């Protein structure tokens, strides 16, 4: 329960994230999220009983749930089209660096001290937000024309010509004003359903591939596989993520979204298959000296493969595929599905491992394989396109399907 309650808070944060970001602005939502995270970490640090530990983790989860929506959206809205993928992946890189540092430091210090380290990025964020502009697209959407121009000029450089880009954004906003305000049920209209299927599908495959179960219980998994020193495996787990995620960020706008996520899901499939095989051999009493090496290698291959694409690309695509008039509702739905999957996997991992470690990893294998097929058939390539061009691409595919019918 303690392990999974963070994801319950994140689900509630996800439900409200779109509306919060639309009402208070992208920066306002980030400030509020940082405040929730600070409150949560302090509650964990000063806790005297289990309820305060759970509440602290719940508050932290709520803040993370909002962050997980608003940060990719903010980056997608401020970034030039040729850098959008790489900059959105940079967010994932920072998450991975934080996770890796926590994995490594957590083997050296107490859990109370570890909780206090969570305050550091929150404080940096609150200070840093004073020096960055608000999303120009959001400013244009709420009618703050002068601030829109100032923010866009600041982002592109004082000598840059922003007239063409500003006109494109304004045209998109004017089109938006003619559309009714979207509600959750509106997402299931034919004009939005393909984007919803893409966003929800990617998050389902990302989470049900097992990342939160494998990540939350990495040390326990290494112990069950027979590794003598779990600290070595845990530190290796933490270290492998950073360079691989950095590589993914570099490749994002070079290879494209689809090839990267398909390679990533294939690698995750291989890693899970290796880990599952190791537990099968252990159960059969075969090649016992090779079981720990195979298990650790499988988990590290899985983590590396996930980090290069499946970790970041779904968030990049999610931030790109929804038209701005439904971005709040659609983003909340997609992030909710993501955290619901995270909760399901983190809560059930121990139960599944008690049932069958081999079966657990074969289930994760099947989701990775389905992810490859889903991306190949359903997901469009968004590399190098403006947000407006992506909408034209999705709508063109939908019109083509209607004609065929």
């Amino acid at each position: 329960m303690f392990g999974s309650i963070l994801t319950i808070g994140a689900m509630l944060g996800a439900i409200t994230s779109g509306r919060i970001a639309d009402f208070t602005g992208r920066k306002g939502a980030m400030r509020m999220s940082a405040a929730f995270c600070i409150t949560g970490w302090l509650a964990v640090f000063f806790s005297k009983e289990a309820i305060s530990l759970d509440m602290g983790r719940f508050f932290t989860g709520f803040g993370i749930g909002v962050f997980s929506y608003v940060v990719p959206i903010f980056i997608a809205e401020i970034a030039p089209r040729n850098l959008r993928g790489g900059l959105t992946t940079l967010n994932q890189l920072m998450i991975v660096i934080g996770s890796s540092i926590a994995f490594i430091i957590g083997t050296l210090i107490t859990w109370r001290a570890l909780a206090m380290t969570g305050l550091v990025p929150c404080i940096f964020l609150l200070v840093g937000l004073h020096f960055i502009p608000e999303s120009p697209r959001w400013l244009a959407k709420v009618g703050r024309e002068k601030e829109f121009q100032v923010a866009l000029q600041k982002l592109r450089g004082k000598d840059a010509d922003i007239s063409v880009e500003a006109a494109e954004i304004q045209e998109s906003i004017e089109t938006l004003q003619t559309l009714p305000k979207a509600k959750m049920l509106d997402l299931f209209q034919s004009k939005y359903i393909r984007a919803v299927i893409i966003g929800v599908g990617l998050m389902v495959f990302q989470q049900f591939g097992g990342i939160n179960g494998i990540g939350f219980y990495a040390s326990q998994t290494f112990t069950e596989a027979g590794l003598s020193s779990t600290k070595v495996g845990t530190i290796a787990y933490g270290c492998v993520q950073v360079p691989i995620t950095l590589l993914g960020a570099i490749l994002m706008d070079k290879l494209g979204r689809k090839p990267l996520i398909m390679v990533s899901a294939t690698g995750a499939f291989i890693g899970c298959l290796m880990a599952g095989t190791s537990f099968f051999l252990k159960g059969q009493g075969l090649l016992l000296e090779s079981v720990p090496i195979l298990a650790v290698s499988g988990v590290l291959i899985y983590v590396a493969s996930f980090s290069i694409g499946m970790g970041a690309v779904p968030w990049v695509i999610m931030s790109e595929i929804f038209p701005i008039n439904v971005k709040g509702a659609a983003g909340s739905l997609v992030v909710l599905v993501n955290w619901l999957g995270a909760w399901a996997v983190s809560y059930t991992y121990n139960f599944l491992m008690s049932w069958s470690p081999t079966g657990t990893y074969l289930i994760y294998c099947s989701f990775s394989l389905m992810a490859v097929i889903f991306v190949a058939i359903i997901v469009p390539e968004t590399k190098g396109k403006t947000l407006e061009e992506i909408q034209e691409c999705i709508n063109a595919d939908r019109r083509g399907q209607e004609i065929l019918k």
Side-chain angles (χ1 to χ4, degrees):
M1 177 56 70
F2 179 70
S4 64
I5 199 170
L6 179 141
T7 56
I8 296 174
M11 277 189 275
L12 293 178
I15 294 170
T16 57
S17 58
R19 298 300 181 192
I20 292 171
D22 284 347
F23 181 73
T24 66
R26 303 347 185 189
K27 288 174 64 175
M30 285 187 275
R31 287 192 181 99
M32 189 201 75
S33 300
F36 269 97
C37 288
I38 288 172
T39 303
W41 287 124
L42 289 174
V44 170
F45 179 78
F46 289 109
S47 62
K48 301 295 183 183
E49 53 190 13
I51 185 65
S52 56
L53 282 172
D54 288 340
M55 289 305 299
R57 195 154 167 84
F58 176 83
F59 277 116
T60 304
F62 184 89
I64 292 171
V66 177
F67 271 135
S68 63
Y69 166 76
V70 72
V71 172
I73 292 297
F74 177 72
I75 294 171
E77 290 182 347
I78 68 172
R81 74 178 78 177
N82 62 312
L83 297 177
R84 190 173 60 241
L87 289 175
T88 307
T89 311
L90 192 61
N91 169 54
Q92 182 68 20
L93 177 64
M94 295 297 105
I95 293 171
V96 166
I97 289 174
S99 172
S100 298
I101 290 173
F103 261 94
I104 295 168
I105 292 180
T107 64
L108 305 173
I109 62 177
T110 67
W111 60 266
R112 289 188 190 274
L114 187 63
M116 290 302 286
T117 66
L119 299 177
V120 176
C122 298
I123 294 169
F124 268 98
L125 177 68
L126 287 174
V127 173
L129 284 171
H130 289 289
F131 302 98
I132 63 174
E134 180 59 90
S135 162
R137 281 182 169 82
W138 181 80
L139 291 170
K141 179 185 174 185
V142 297
R144 292 156 65 172
E145 175 64 29
K146 185 175 180 181
E147 293 174 71
F148 157 65
Q149 296 282 347
V150 171
L152 187 59
Q153 190 72 66
K154 186 174 182 180
L155 286 166
R156 300 295 177 258
K158 63 179 181 178
D159 298 322
D161 181 7
I162 62 169
S163 57
V164 174
E165 186 177 5
E168 288 178 354
I169 294 173
Q170 288 285 23
E171 183 181 350
S172 176
I173 297 299
E174 288 171 8
T175 302
L176 169 66
Q177 302 302 334
T178 65
L179 300 172
K181 191 170 183 178
K183 299 177 181 177
M184 195 67 76
L185 289 176
D186 295 333
L187 298 176
F188 300 96
Q189 296 176 13
S190 60
K191 58 185 174 181
Y192 304 129
I193 192 65
R194 184 165 185 257
V196 170
I197 290 172
I198 293 168
V200 169
L202 287 173
M203 294 306 175
V204 166
F205 291 122
Q206 182 198 65
Q207 289 302 325
F208 283 91
I211 184 59
N212 277 290
I214 294 171
F216 280 10
Y217 300 103
S219 295
Q220 179 181 317
T221 302
F222 295 149
T223 299
E224 291 179 6
L227 189 67
S228 57
S229 175
T230 59
K231 284 188 176 182
V232 174
T234 304
I235 291 172
Y237 181 106
C239 291
V240 76
Q241 296 180 92
V242 177
I244 298 297
T245 304
L246 181 58
L247 178 62
I250 294 170
L251 295 176
M252 178 75 69
D253 287 314
K254 294 183 181 294
L255 296 182
R257 283 44 158 171
K258 286 187 68 167
L260 200 57
I261 200 169
M262 290 173 71
V263 168
S264 174
T266 302
F269 169 82
I270 294 170
C272 279
L273 188 61
M274 289 173 63
T277 301
S278 74
F279 284 108
F280 175 79
L281 293 174
K282 182 182 178 183
Q284 299 298 314
L286 301 172
L287 303 174
L288 293 179
E289 68 281 357
S290 301
V291 166
I293 297 173
L294 190 59
V296 172
S297 299
V299 169
L300 294 182
I301 288 172
Y302 172 86
V303 171
S305 300
F306 183 90
S307 299
I308 202 170
M310 285 296 291
V313 175
W315 293 108
V316 175
I317 294 176
M318 183 276 286
S319 69
E320 296 173 329
I321 59 175
F322 295 116
I324 195 168
N325 63 303
V326 299
K327 193 163 276 188
S332 293
L333 174 65
V334 168
V335 176
L336 173 62
V337 169
N338 181 276
W339 284 109
L340 181 61
W343 171 80
V345 170
S346 60
Y347 187 75
T348 61
Y349 183 82
N350 278 326
F351 298 112
L352 287 172
M353 288 291 284
S354 297
W355 161 67
S356 170
T358 301
T360 301
Y361 279 88
L362 288 179
I363 290 171
Y364 298 154
C365 271
S366 66
F367 276 99
S368 295
L369 185 60
M370 287 188 287
V372 176
I373 298 170
F374 177 82
V375 172
I377 297 173
I378 302 294
V379 179
E381 180 56 72
T382 59
K383 182 190 77 169
K385 296 182 175 71
T386 65
L387 301 184
E388 291 72 28
E389 287 170 347
I390 292 168
Q391 289 309 306
E392 291 178 8
C393 176
I394 291 175
N395 290 331
D397 288 344
R398 177 179 60 84
R399 286 192 294 270
Q401 292 169 0
E402 291 174 352
I403 291 170
L404 287 174
K405 289 178 182 178

